[in-house]
Each structure stands twice: as structure tokens, then as C-alpha cells.
Amino acid sequence: MTTNPKFTFRRAKIEDIAAVRQMIQELADFEKMSDGPKITEKDVIRDAGLDGGQEYCHIYVLDLQSDEQTTPLTIGYSICFYSYSTWEGKAYFLEDIYVRPTYRNLGAGSYIFRSVAGKAKEYNCQRLDFHVLGWNPARKFYDKLGAVDLTEKEDWHFYRLNSEQIAKLANTRFENI
């Protein structure tokens, strides 16, 4: 594939968002949830604060520069945001991490994951949280790097309310009091 890969991990710019949005879909396809992503490039630009507005997430890209090419190629991305633990304080949540299949087994996944951990440390976060589908072979990768599966260790379960459920609860919150 490439004889001497060199990776660059950096914050995404507006011109990166088309590739990021495409990779979001690729990740959803891999996760067997192709109809999952509803966000547009415009939504991603807005939510990352790249339009000058409020920043809700940090988007990073991973570029590959090799001897065979003259310009870097964006081969992966990650999306993170701050969360908070009442036990430990500020935390960093890794929502997505993805490397395009053609560029796996070059060390790109390790590079991007370690870079995200570096950002968590830089931002004085006490932990880095993320979730992984049970069938995803990347679980072995995370185990190898020292991540702890809280579902197995502490019996934590990840719950979610979608926008319809939120609206229903918000509109009926005082009816049964």
C-alpha cells in the first residue's frame, strides 16, 4: 500500500467536512446502520463551530502523507466532546473514530486513538469514554490499549432517548404528578 506512511492528526477545517460526512456514512454502513446518519455537512459545520458559532464537538481528521503521493490524503476522522463525571470531573467522550478500510493495518487506528487520548490529557480530562458495538472486532484493539469494558466490569448499561421520546416526556412531565 504505502512504503513510508506519515500521519498528521489535526482539527478539521470547513474544507474537510465533505470527506468527514462521507466517512460518517461509511462508518454507519460498517455498523450495519446505513440509514442512521441524518446530519448534513451544514449541520456538522455548525455543530463544530466552523461557521463562527457555538462549538459543540471537536472534529479531527487523520491525514496520510506517503512517498507515493504529493498531497496528504484524509483517511480517518474522530469526533469528541466534553462530558462531565460527578465522581471525577471533566471527561472527554469519543463519539466516532474511523479509518477507511484501505488504510487499516498501517497503524492509523492506533495513531488516531492515541492522539485523541493526547487531546484528553491536554484538556485536563480525567477520563476518555466511548462505546463500541458488541460484535465490532475493534473491541480487541481497545482491550489491548488498556480500555475497560464497563458493561462487563461494572455492569453499566448505555441508555438513550430519541427526539420523539424526549418531546413526549417533556410534554407530559407534569400530567402524572
Side-chain angles (χ1 to χ4, degrees):
M1 162 62 42
T2 182
T3 56
N4 188 18
K6 180 183 178 229
F7 301 115
T8 304
F9 179 82
R10 61 179 175 81
R11 286 293 281 267
K13 301 179 234 171
I14 287 180
E15 54 267 23
D16 297 313
I17 299 306
V20 168
R21 179 58 185 87
Q22 183 179 24
M23 288 186 284
I24 289 170
Q25 186 61 54
E26 291 172 20
L27 177 58
D29 294 344
F30 169 77
E31 293 176 335
K32 301 176 180 102
M33 297 182 218
S34 296
D35 62 345
K38 308 287 188 253
I39 60 173
T40 65
E41 288 178 33
K42 186 177 179 179
D43 295 330
V44 176
I45 289 168
R46 178 198 63 221
D47 295 342
L50 296 173
D51 62 357
Q54 178 73 34
E55 180 183 64
Y56 294 100
C57 63
H58 302 156
I59 301 177
Y60 303 99
V61 294
L62 185 68
D63 293 331
L64 171 67
Q65 179 72 56
S66 70
D67 297 337
E68 293 89 26
Q69 58 196 51
T70 57
T71 59
L73 180 65
T74 299
I75 63 165
Y77 80 98
S78 63
I79 297 178
C80 306
F81 55 90
Y82 295 117
S83 60
Y84 193 80
S85 164
T86 55
W87 293 0
E88 300 179 59
K90 187 165 71 167
Y92 212 37
F93 192 90
L94 174 59
E95 175 66 19
D96 279 359
I97 183 170
Y98 180 75
V99 174
R100 288 188 155 145
T102 305
Y103 303 99
R104 293 179 187 162
N105 298 314
L106 298 175
S110 179
Y111 193 94
I112 198 169
F113 190 75
R114 291 171 192 272
S115 296
V116 167
K119 287 295 180 183
K121 181 180 178 190
E122 176 185 334
Y123 299 144
N124 296 312
C125 295
Q126 300 306 304
R127 65 188 201 198
L128 175 62
D129 294 322
F130 57 98
H131 44 79
V132 182
L133 290 168
W135 57 262
N136 190 332
R139 289 179 60 204
K140 291 178 186 171
F141 167 77
Y142 298 121
D143 290 341
K144 183 179 171 184
L145 292 175
V148 175
D149 183 340
L150 294 179
T151 304
E152 291 179 10
K153 183 175 186 246
E154 298 180 12
D155 201 28
W156 285 93
H157 292 267
F158 185 72
Y159 284 84
R160 173 178 294 141
L161 294 175
N162 66 28
S163 60
E164 291 173 11
Q165 294 158 325
I166 292 169
K168 182 179 178 181
L169 285 174
N171 292 335
T172 61
R173 64 180 167 200
F174 300 111
E175 290 179 7
N176 295 324
I177 296 179

